[in-house]
């Protein structure tokens, strides 16, 4: 277990399939954890992944109407604890690409990256309200593909990298070939964890050489990296963190 002097006043929302050791450590680091049940409309390996089920911006939490009926108890708890309002979408939903990516987008500063033609229509409306510019990229799983910290994007995806570079956003390049996601060849770095202020939470541990290069990247100076498990990196749909 990772020794923590004081729990952070955060709500963590994660998949019910999060590995037990990582979940135990996360519970000791945050004030509360909510586990998301699977959405029967999504592919089984990712059906409970937070980055497939939720999108949040400002005080809005977006989810699919049918999933809200499945996970009403969990969703209502998130709304109550984090002080958010619910936005329901009826965008087409299914277990084949791109019907599974309606809520999968990545926010970075003034930009939102994703496959815009497949996103729930409520998301562009929200970005416009907040003065955020949507940017279309080829990677439909943009929310899974990157972590954003201190204005930089951590990713292995070339389309996200190119779009970020074109807009002057620093990119911290990683490999995703060693990230586990049962049912697929590999997972994504964004699906391995989450970010709060200057702290990164990762489900799993990078190989020593990879971690050394990663941790010493100039863009991560002063950043704390919490590895929640001694096992290899595991994509379980990321950690959505909300202040309490």
């Amino acid at each position: 277990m990772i020794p923590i002097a004081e729990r952070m006043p955060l709500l963590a929302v994660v998949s019910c399939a999060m590995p037990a050791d990582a979940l135990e450590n996360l519970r000791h680091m945050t004030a509360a954890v909510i586990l998301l049940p699977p959405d029967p409309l999504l592919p089984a390996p990712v059906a409970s992944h937070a980055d497939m089920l939720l999108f949040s911006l400002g005080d809005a939490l977006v989810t699919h109407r049918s999933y809200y009926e499945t996970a009403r108890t969990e969703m209502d708890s998130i709304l109550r604890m984090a002080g958010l309002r619910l936005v329901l979408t009826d965008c087409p939903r299914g277990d084949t690409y791109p019907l599974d990516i309606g809520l999968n987008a990545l926010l970075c500063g003034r930009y939102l990256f994703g496959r815009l033609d497949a996103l729930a229509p409520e998301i562009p409306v929200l970005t416009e309200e907040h003065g955020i510019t949507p940017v279309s990229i080829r990677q439909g799983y943009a929310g899974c593909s990157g972590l954003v910290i201190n204005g930089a994007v951590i990713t292995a995806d070339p389309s996200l990298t190119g779009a970020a570079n074109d807009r002057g956003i620093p990119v911290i390049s990683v490999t995703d070939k060693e990230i586990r996601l049962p049912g697929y060849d590999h997972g994504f770095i964004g699906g391995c964890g989450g970010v709060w202020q200057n702290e990164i939470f990762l489900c799993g541990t990078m190989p020593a050489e990879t971690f050394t290069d990663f941790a010493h990247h100039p863009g991560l100076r002063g950043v704390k990296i919490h590895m929640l498990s001694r096992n290899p990196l595991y994509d379980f749909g990321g950690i959505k963190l909300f202040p309490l």
Side-chain angles (χ1 to χ4, degrees), residues 83-160:
L84 301 174
R85 63 183 176 91
L86 180 64
V87 176
L88 295 175
T89 181
D90 294 301
C91 67
R93 188 85 157 154
D95 63 359
T96 57
Y97 184 86
L99 294 177
D100 57 342
I101 62 170
L103 300 173
N104 208 306
L106 184 71
L107 284 165
C108 181
R110 298 185 297 107
Y111 298 99
L112 176 131
F113 298 100
R115 184 173 154 180
L116 301 184
D117 64 338
L119 288 182
E122 292 78 6
I123 292 178
V125 171
L126 284 172
T127 59
E128 183 177 357
E129 290 175 356
H130 287 265
I132 292 170
T133 302
V135 179
S136 191
I137 62 174
R138 293 181 61 187
Q139 176 55 265
Y141 301 103
C144 310
S145 297
L147 292 172
V148 175
I149 188 163
N150 293 342
V153 176
I154 305 170
T155 188
D157 184 74
S159 60
L160 180 54

Side-chain angles (χ1 to χ4, degrees), residues 154-179:
I154 305 170
T155 188
D157 184 74
S159 60
L160 180 54
T161 294
N165 283 334
D166 288 346
R167 286 153 184 85
I169 298 171
V171 175
I172 300 170
S173 297
V174 294
T175 178
D176 55 16
K177 301 304 180 185
E178 57 204 18
I179 298 173

